[in-house]
Amino acid sequence: MAGLKLHNLMSLLLILFAFSSAEELLPLGKHSENGQQMEYISYIPSTTEFYNDFVKPELPLLMKNVLTDINFPMLNIWTDEYLGEKYGNLKVRVEQSKKENRSLKPKHDNLKTFLDAYATNDIYMVQSVLNEMKDEVTVPLLLNCGGFQKVLQDSVLWLSNGNTRSVLHFDDMDNINCVLDGQKVVLLFNKAQKQLIEANGFMQEGSFSKVDVDAVNLKKFPKLQQVNWSTAVLDKGDCLYIPHGWYHQFRSSDARNLGINYWFSHLWWLNKSNCDSTEIKSGSLTLEQLAVQSNNEQVRSKLLSKWANKETVSNKEFFSEISKFDEESRIQFLNIIDSNHDGRLSWNELYSFDIGDYVLQTLSGTSFKQLQTCEGQYQSHSYEANHEKYLRYMQDDM
């Protein structure tokens, strides 16, 4: 009898242990009660409003149902049939698991091959907009002026049959993410919670957490129980602005899901002269008209971040930040940047100089004199040629 009681007690303990374990291993966003629904607006703000109220203070913005009444052809005509017929022979990048796994290498298939397979396979497409598609890809109006048009870095298409889950991560660039079909749920965590989010199991190379977003183990990631977040629900026609450095995690609904996002280097100053007094209300540009800029703009953004709250920058301050130049090159370079030779650099001057020259000098040791005398040779020398140096440069505390 005593043995039976002991057996029953052990069984009860095992059940309780299994129950408690199951209670702990909940999806991210349900692992605690610290979340709240994100507020939203139902219009696309002017460029000035967008910059002053969201980009400058680095606050996210949810814009609901803002693509349905503007010139955004992808919203309705980009069916699988249309994409397959018009672009089916183009090569696209295909992820091999709908639950993001950064250790898996993507494959490349014809778009038509992917479209024939993705409804039943554990795959999804992540592809920068191809040149052949750019005349159909509209850029949100608020990026058409103010300097945003000079820092657009990439535009990426995402297509799945639903139930995709990203890792919890942050990006170095600003991001506007729009849903063209289906639904996405995004968890947003303020960058001010860096110490909590990165306390356990965070991969600095890649900027992502190793937490299982489907089953959060609070014993391995105890600090996540303390973090707060906002939940943004994106339906067809909605867009979300995610500032650089904000942690976030995407999850798509269980149905066809088509989205596009626009990456741009964070803008530290708005050039209002680029926008007329009434702002830009119509005349949307396409990616073909508004070209993606050099990745060197990410270097400019990081360099200028040091003076984010200053009206101007003294020549002395800038001189000290380009110590990787030889002295003669620093003087010559600064003399060109300071176009009115007043000893101070305005934001217009800081955003006008050739960042390519700066990158070449910093990464490859090319002197300013060489840049001037061998202009043709060095123009063809992009930052990708020194990609490892570039990555180290971007990770350094300058």
Side-chain angles (χ1 to χ4, degrees):
M1 180 67 70
L4 181 61
K5 287 183 177 180
L6 180 61
H7 175 75
N8 290 340
L9 178 60
M10 292 297 293
S11 297
L12 179 61
L13 289 174
L14 286 172
I15 292 172
L16 290 173
F17 176 76
F19 180 76
S20 63
S21 297
E23 281 291 295
E24 289 180 0
L25 302 180
L26 295 173
L28 190 69
K30 295 183 179 179
H31 68 284
S32 79
E33 298 182 354
N34 297 342
Q36 61 180 7
Q37 287 294 118
M38 186 175 177
E39 296 182 357
Y40 64 88
I41 62 176
S42 299
Y43 64 95
I44 296 180
S46 69
T47 302
T48 301
E49 180 184 353
F50 175 57
Y51 182 81
N52 289 335
D53 294 348
F54 301 100
V55 176
K56 186 175 182 179
E58 300 179 25
L59 297 173
L61 169 64
L62 176 58
M63 297 167 278
K64 297 285 289 182
N65 197 33
V66 292
L67 301 182
T68 54
D69 296 327
I70 64 174
N71 178 26
F72 218 88
M74 297 179 295
L75 194 65
N76 296 310
I77 70 172
W78 275 28
T79 63
D80 286 357
E81 293 74 19
Y82 179 87
L83 292 172
E85 182 177 341
K86 188 165 184 179
Y87 304 116
N89 64 326
L90 301 179
K91 288 283 187 181
V92 295
R93 182 175 179 267
V94 181
E95 296 289 341
Q96 299 302 298
S97 172
K98 291 194 293 182
K99 182 176 182 178
E100 185 178 7
N101 182 343
R102 297 196 174 184
S103 66
L104 291 178
K105 291 185 178 180
K107 293 184 178 180
H108 291 82
D109 281 322
N110 289 343
L111 178 56
K112 184 64 168 63
T113 303
F114 167 77
L115 292 172
D116 290 340
Y118 86 103
T120 55
N121 292 339
D122 188 25
I123 57 176
Y124 68 103
M125 183 189 81
V126 184
Q127 175 62 53
S128 293
V129 176
L130 297 162
N131 290 333
E132 294 86 345
M133 299 175 166
K134 287 183 176 180
D135 63 339
E136 288 193 290
V137 178
T138 305
V139 178
L141 290 171
L142 42 70
L143 299 181
N144 285 2
C145 69
F148 288 111
Q149 75 279 19
K150 294 184 177 181
V151 295
L152 183 63
Q153 298 292 279
D154 199 5
S155 186
V156 180
L157 295 170
W158 308 74
L159 178 59
S160 74
N161 72 335
N163 199 29
T164 58
R165 292 92 76 205
S166 78
V167 293
L168 174 62
H169 65 288
F170 74 85
D171 300 303
D172 289 327
M173 289 186 288
D174 285 356
N175 177 15
I176 292 180
N177 196 295
C178 300
V179 171
L180 308 178
D181 196 15
Q183 184 186 79
K184 281 186 171 69
V185 176
V186 189
L187 305 181
L188 289 163
F189 304 78
N190 195 311
K191 63 198 302 184
Q193 301 181 103
K194 176 182 176 69
Q195 297 301 321
L196 295 175
I197 295 173
E198 298 189 13
N200 309 103
F202 196 84
M203 302 297 292
Q204 296 300 328
E205 184 177 350
S207 308
F208 70 97
S209 173
K210 294 180 71 175
V211 66
D212 185 340
V213 298
D214 288 336
V216 178
N217 188 328
L218 291 175
K219 292 181 179 178
K220 292 183 178 180
F221 299 87
K223 297 294 186 181
L224 289 183
Q225 199 161 13
Q226 302 176 40
V227 300
N228 300 307
W229 70 88
S230 296
T231 302
V233 179
L234 280 74
D235 297 297
K236 180 177 180 178
D238 298 348
C239 294
L240 173 68
Y241 165 61
I242 304 175
H244 69 128
W246 275 64
Y247 302 87
H248 53 281
Q249 192 259 330
F250 278 84
R251 185 180 297 269
S252 64
S253 61
D254 192 16
R256 181 182 188 264
N257 201 282
L258 176 62
I260 185 169
N261 79 286
Y262 305 85
W263 298 108
F264 53 100
S265 298
H266 187 74
L267 199 63
W268 299 103
W269 169 72
L270 183 70
N271 186 355
K272 296 180 182 179
S273 66
N274 289 148
C275 304
D276 61 34
S277 58
T278 59
E279 299 292 351
I280 296 180
K281 301 296 184 183
S282 60
S284 300
L285 299 177
T286 66
L287 278 179
E288 189 175 46
Q289 297 168 305
L290 188 62
V292 169
Q293 302 298 309
S294 165
N295 286 317
N296 292 335
E297 287 299 332
Q298 296 176 48
V299 178
R300 189 197 303 271
S301 184
K302 183 176 181 179
L303 173 66
L304 301 188
S305 66
K306 297 173 173 58
W307 305 300
N309 298 314
K310 297 177 70 69
E311 292 294 324
T312 60
V313 177
S314 71
N315 286 11
K316 183 178 180 180
E317 288 174 296
F318 193 88
F319 194 88
S320 66
E321 288 299 330
I322 54 175
S323 57
K324 295 177 182 179
F325 285 43
D326 61 70
E327 185 168 358
E328 181 182 359
S329 292
R330 280 193 284 175
I331 294 171
Q332 290 178 314
F333 197 61
L334 190 57
N335 189 51
I336 289 178
I337 298 174
D338 185 10
S339 57
N340 60 0
H341 308 295
D342 64 351
R344 302 199 66 83
L345 303 176
S346 67
W347 280 101
N348 187 50
E349 289 171 323
L350 290 170
Y351 270 103
S352 297
F353 73 87
D354 188 339
I355 190 63
D357 287 351
Y358 173 84
V359 170
L360 283 170
Q361 169 65 52
T362 303
L363 300 186
S364 65
T366 306
S367 71
F368 196 73
K369 186 175 182 180
Q370 286 176 306
L371 288 172
Q372 291 177 311
T373 57
C374 304
E375 183 177 357
Q377 174 185 347
Y378 289 102
Q379 278 182 340
S380 62
H381 184 83
S382 66
Y383 90 97
E384 284 87 354
N386 286 283
H387 190 60
E388 291 185 7
K389 290 183 179 179
Y390 173 85
L391 291 177
R392 288 198 299 270
Y393 172 82
M394 291 299 289
Q395 292 169 359
D396 287 344
D397 291 324
M398 293 171 49

